[in-house]
Amino acid sequence: MEPLLTISQSPSSRTMITVWMVAVALGALLALIPLETLALLAGAALALVLALAHPVLAVGMAVLSVPVQELVVLPGGLSVTQAAVLLTLGVWVLHTLARAEQRMLPADLLLLWGGLLFALLLSASITPYSRTEALRETSRWVVAAVVWMVAASTITRRWHVIYLLACLLLAPAVCAGIGIVQFAVGDGPPSFRIAPDLPYVRAYGTIGQPNSFAGYLNMAWPLAFALAMVSTGSAWRSRGQHRLTVVSRWILAIILWSITGVVLLALLASFSRGAWIGAAIGALGMALGLGRRALPVFLGLAATGAAVALLAITGILPEALIVRLASIGRSMAWFDATAITVTPENFAVVERMAHLQAGWEMFRAAPLFGVGTGNYAVVYPEFAVGAWYASRGHAHNYYLHMAAEAGIVGLLAYLALIGGMIRQTAHALRRTIDPVLYSAAIGGCGIIAAVAGHNLFENLHVLNFGIQLAGIWAVIGAIAHHTEDIQPRCAILSRVERGSLAVT
């Protein structure tokens, strides 16, 4: 007997039913997951997909993570920056195993990186103090070396350079904007007040400390300034071209000038004397990079200095700023911290000198290999000067700090690496004929000089700032060694155009 009704399902209808059942199950599962966890999973998935597309994208994520590394803690106790670096290394390994396009790393810089890491590990292995702290400090340099290695070996296209330049500017600009708001509304601890009778505080961004915050900004503003100068020159010369071209170039120039202004304003609001000196040295480094075209820059620096002096003399500058500027000379003087009567006015200067003297005594005690990488704070009580028993964690001079921790061997290895980066930057300036790449190299000159100058008063190799430095060093390396592949084939820069940094 035939059934009265037969219900049949085609393969397509069964597939649709399965899809709907899976969708409903996923929807129910997602409804049970907290929104923060869901956002974290979505962000992680997106980051993984982008990183797998190309390792350079992962390097950019690591650069962008630096300002927020202390704000977000991932499962397992990982910071965002640690996760980004692990992701960068992982996708680079996969990229290498797939035999994708890569560059040979410069042998001289590889040797210099290896020399520094060897010196730090040697100091860590023979220290009689904390090897845990030694390895922790060495790992910061390992992270910087990994980021440099990945970026330097995988920058093969022009868009790689543009992308990294954008990341190198975006993260500090956002951090600077936060710092300006903190300064304006007085959002900070009482110890950050610029004066007891004023509601303003020293800007510190997401970094937490004004001096370190200002050091981070010194790793960005020279690049923004150089790119803004060239972008303005390009926009000015585009008159008579298609309207869309002219408008887009002026928009880019405005954006770059805005970033420059925000970062420099935040640098000023940090009230960091060492950062101000570092910024002046950075401007001098950019001028030296320009060579004979630097006269307008020198004139601009002289005019700025004269204007600041005039405003200070006439009393137009705020008193708190005048007092801060006037104290720069005292902060650079050398004296015996034990022979000075401490007052609220000279407390910071005397404390800094006490840490410098302690660092010098550490170096004298172990001149060859130091007291151990990362062990300055550990051994500080043994070398404390007078009643200054509380350590700030560093010697307020990175060169002395490196000598104290890793000895003359570590200091020479560090200076050799910086010298190698300076040589590479000079090579980049000679090779490139593209305005964007040339301005990036000039910005690199400023960053190297600003960091070198600021390190006379601070330790800027903290909080994974080495990732920011490694990024700009890798970009400069690409300009120096692979110019033909990352600049337009039709790039012909006249003498007048190449001097736009100096005359615009």
Side-chain angles (χ1 to χ4, degrees), residues 450-469:
V451 171
H454 195 174
N455 265 335
L456 292 169
F457 308 92
E458 194 69 25
N459 176 6
L460 298 187
H461 298 288
V462 294
L463 299 173
N464 287 308
F465 288 169
I467 294 176
Q468 177 83 5
L469 286 176

Side-chain angles (χ1 to χ4, degrees), residues 156-181:
T156 57
R157 295 290 183 270
R158 183 178 178 83
W159 72 265
H160 298 165
V161 173
I162 302 300
Y163 164 74
L164 286 180
L165 290 177
C167 293
L168 290 165
L169 294 180
L170 179 60
V174 173
C175 191
I178 295 172
I180 292 173
V181 173

Side-chain angles (χ1 to χ4, degrees), residues 49 68 70-71 73 92 147 185 203-204 210 216 241 270 279 288 310 318 343 427 429 450 480 483 489 492:
V49 170
V68 298
E70 301 292 333
L71 302 181
V73 178
W92 179 75
V147 172
V185 303
Y204 56 95
Y216 181 52
Q241 297 184 19
S270 72
L288 293 176
L310 181 62
T343 66
H427 188 50
L429 290 172
T483 309
R489 299 295 181 184
I492 302 175

Side-chain angles (χ1 to χ4, degrees), residues 62-342:
V63 170
L64 292 173
S65 74
V66 172
V68 298
Q69 60 185 296
E70 301 292 333
L71 302 181
V72 181
V73 178
L74 302 176
L78 284 178
S79 70
V80 176
T81 300
Q82 290 170 335
V85 171
L86 289 175
L87 178 63
T88 300
L89 181 60
V91 297
W92 179 75
V93 170
L94 294 176
H95 194 76
T96 303
L97 293 176
R99 298 183 179 180
E101 184 180 14
Q102 288 191 8
R103 300 292 187 194
M104 292 294 294
L105 294 171
D108 56 339
L109 293 181
L110 265 180
L111 183 63
L112 293 174
W113 273 109
L116 176 59
L117 295 179
F118 176 78
L120 297 178
L121 287 172
L122 180 61
S123 175
S125 66
I126 64 176
T127 180
Y129 301 101
S130 173
R131 286 190 174 86
T132 301
E133 291 298 327
L135 293 176
R136 182 178 290 116
E137 178 64 24
T138 303
S139 68
R140 294 191 180 98
W141 280 103
V142 171
V143 166
V146 166
V147 172
W148 172 82
M149 179 180 64
V150 173
S153 64
T154 56
I155 296 176
T156 57
R157 295 290 183 270
R158 183 178 178 83
W159 72 265
H160 298 165
V161 173
I162 302 300
Y163 164 74
L164 286 180
L165 290 177
C167 293
L168 290 165
L169 294 180
L170 179 60
V174 173
C175 191
I178 295 172
I180 292 173
V181 173
Q182 292 166 341
F183 172 83
V185 303
D187 182 16
S191 60
F192 286 0
R193 288 283 182 92
I194 64 173
D197 57 336
L198 293 176
Y200 309 109
V201 299
R202 299 174 63 187
Y204 56 95
T206 59
I207 304 303
Q209 291 294 329
N211 292 330
S212 299
F213 166 72
Y216 181 52
L217 301 184
N218 265 335
M219 299 177 187
W221 76 260
L223 180 62
F225 180 76
L227 289 171
M229 292 287 283
V230 165
S231 180
T232 303
S234 175
W236 183 260
R237 289 191 299 273
S238 67
R239 292 173 298 172
Q241 297 184 19
H242 192 277
R243 183 175 181 180
L244 183 60
T245 300
V246 177
V247 171
S248 62
R249 290 186 179 182
W250 277 112
I251 290 176
L252 177 60
I254 292 171
I255 291 173
L256 288 170
W257 278 117
S258 299
I259 292 175
T260 305
V262 167
V263 174
L264 286 176
L265 185 59
L267 184 67
L268 180 64
S270 72
F271 270 65
S272 174
R273 293 166 294 197
W276 293 347
I277 296 173
I281 296 174
L284 180 61
M286 295 174 70
L288 293 176
L290 287 168
R292 290 175 295 179
R293 296 177 292 278
L295 180 59
V297 178
F298 281 118
L299 294 176
L301 290 174
T304 301
V308 171
L310 181 62
L311 291 174
I313 293 172
T314 57
I316 297 177
L317 285 180
E319 183 180 356
L321 184 58
I322 295 175
V323 171
R324 196 69 174 173
L325 289 171
S327 67
I328 290 178
R330 295 194 301 271
S331 67
M332 298 178 66
W334 185 272
F335 56 87
D336 184 0
T338 61
I340 300 296
T341 301
V342 180

Side-chain angles (χ1 to χ4, degrees), residues 307-452:
V308 171
L310 181 62
L311 291 174
I313 293 172
T314 57
I316 297 177
L317 285 180
E319 183 180 356
L321 184 58
I322 295 175
V323 171
R324 196 69 174 173
L325 289 171
S327 67
I328 290 178
R330 295 194 301 271
S331 67
M332 298 178 66
W334 185 272
F335 56 87
D336 184 0
T338 61
I340 300 296
T341 301
V342 180
T343 66
E345 290 74 22
N346 69 7
F347 179 89
V349 175
V350 179
E351 182 188 47
R352 174 179 176 273
M353 183 53 61
H355 281 72
L356 284 168
Q357 288 179 246
W360 175 249
E361 293 303 321
M362 292 179 200
F363 173 67
R364 289 182 60 192
L368 195 58
F369 302 111
V371 298
T373 307
N375 274 274
Y376 179 91
V378 174
V379 304
Y380 178 83
E382 296 183 23
F383 298 92
V385 175
W388 300 94
Y389 294 114
S391 172
R392 291 290 184 179
H394 61 90
H396 289 278
N397 180 306
Y398 187 69
Y399 307 101
L400 179 58
H401 183 88
M402 176 64 85
E405 289 193 342
I408 192 66
V409 174
L411 177 60
L412 290 177
Y414 171 74
L415 293 176
L417 177 63
I418 300 303
M421 295 304 171
I422 294 173
R423 179 175 175 272
Q424 174 183 256
T425 306
H427 188 50
L429 290 172
R430 289 193 299 268
R431 288 204 62 186
T432 185
I433 60 172
D434 176 69
V436 173
L437 303 183
Y438 185 75
S439 61
I442 289 294
C445 289
I447 291 173
I448 292 173
V451 171

